[in-house]
Amino acid sequence: ETIQLSKLSKYLLQDQVSSIIFTFVLIFISVMVVFKSVYFAAHSLIPLAFGILMNFTIMSIAGIPLDIATILISSIVMGIGIDDSIHFLLTYKNSLKAGLSCQDAVIRTYSHASRPIFFTTLSMVLGFLIFLLSTFRPIYYFGLLIAISMVNCTFASLFILPSFLMFTDKLRKRHKNVEKEQ
């Protein structure tokens, strides 16, 4: 029985890694097609990567096992979490098209998109927290970890993603200035 559990854990881990990679690739391609930009597609993955990394960190710290129920969390959270990224990036891109600077576009995006992102996440988190009433531990962990991961994705969409957008904008401006000088 111990050998079979060991083999099962090995297969679960392999499936989890391949599932995450495959989902990242599909999301990247989908966002690239929608936005017609590799730049925005790459930025859309930042909140997802943060949410997934935090998920596994919390599981490790809390000693939550990787089992059949918890293996599903990453792909589900990525599917739900990309909504926040796309919502933020779409509003940001439209603000840039309106002629705003990067910093002004981020401020405008906050004023237009932060409330819908926050309340959508809040309603879904509350829905998944219902699983905390379960006495079956895998279902309990499933609801808890999805709720926490969604909060992490939203946090990353509202705070980390804008920081990356402003940082890469400064890098792009600096690169253009260097090219002009040469």
Side-chain angles (χ1 to χ4, degrees):
E1 189 175 304
T2 305
I3 293 172
Q4 285 185 340
L5 282 174
S6 176
K7 285 182 181 181
L8 179 64
S9 294
K10 178 183 168 188
Y11 292 129
L12 285 175
L13 185 60
Q14 288 173 349
D15 286 348
Q16 180 67 31
V17 170
S18 62
S19 173
I20 289 173
I21 292 169
F22 184 68
T23 306
F24 264 107
V25 169
L26 285 179
I27 288 173
F28 180 84
I29 291 169
S30 299
V31 174
M32 189 174 64
V33 167
V34 169
F35 281 93
K36 298 176 182 144
S37 167
V38 172
Y39 176 80
F40 285 110
H43 279 79
S44 73
L45 299 177
I46 293 168
L48 302 178
F50 179 79
I52 299 302
L53 288 173
M54 289 303 295
N55 178 49
F56 287 119
T57 302
I58 290 167
M59 285 177 69
S60 176
I61 291 170
I64 299 171
L66 189 63
D67 58 22
I68 306 267
T70 58
I71 200 89
L72 301 170
I73 293 170
S74 297
S75 295
I76 293 171
V77 167
M78 288 171 71
I80 296 171
I82 191 65
D83 180 58
D84 293 344
S85 294
I86 290 175
H87 199 82
F88 191 92
L89 289 171
L90 185 61
T91 307
Y92 175 78
K93 185 178 180 183
N94 289 337
S95 297
L96 289 178
K97 280 184 180 178
L100 296 176
S101 68
C102 175
Q103 186 173 2
D104 292 337
V106 167
I107 292 169
R108 182 176 181 202
T109 301
Y110 271 121
S111 68
H112 286 82
S114 62
R115 278 187 95 193
I117 289 171
F118 175 77
F119 285 113
T120 300
T121 301
L122 179 65
S123 64
M124 287 191 292
V125 164
L126 291 174
F128 279 108
L129 287 177
I130 294 298
F131 288 119
L132 296 180
L133 299 175
S134 175
T135 57
F136 187 54
R137 280 287 172 218
I139 299 298
Y140 176 89
Y141 288 141
F142 178 79
L144 178 67
L145 290 172
I146 283 191
I148 290 171
S149 295
M150 289 177 66
V151 168
N152 286 327
C153 284
T154 300
F155 172 81
S157 292
L158 293 176
F159 297 104
I160 296 173
L161 177 59
S163 300
F164 268 91
L165 289 168
M166 290 171 43
F167 177 73
T168 55
D169 182 64
K170 285 182 183 180
L171 288 178
R172 288 169 52 182
K173 285 180 183 176
R174 192 175 295 159
H175 182 69
K176 284 182 183 179
N177 289 338
V178 169
E179 284 182 354
K180 285 181 183 178
E181 291 174 4
Q182 294 177 351

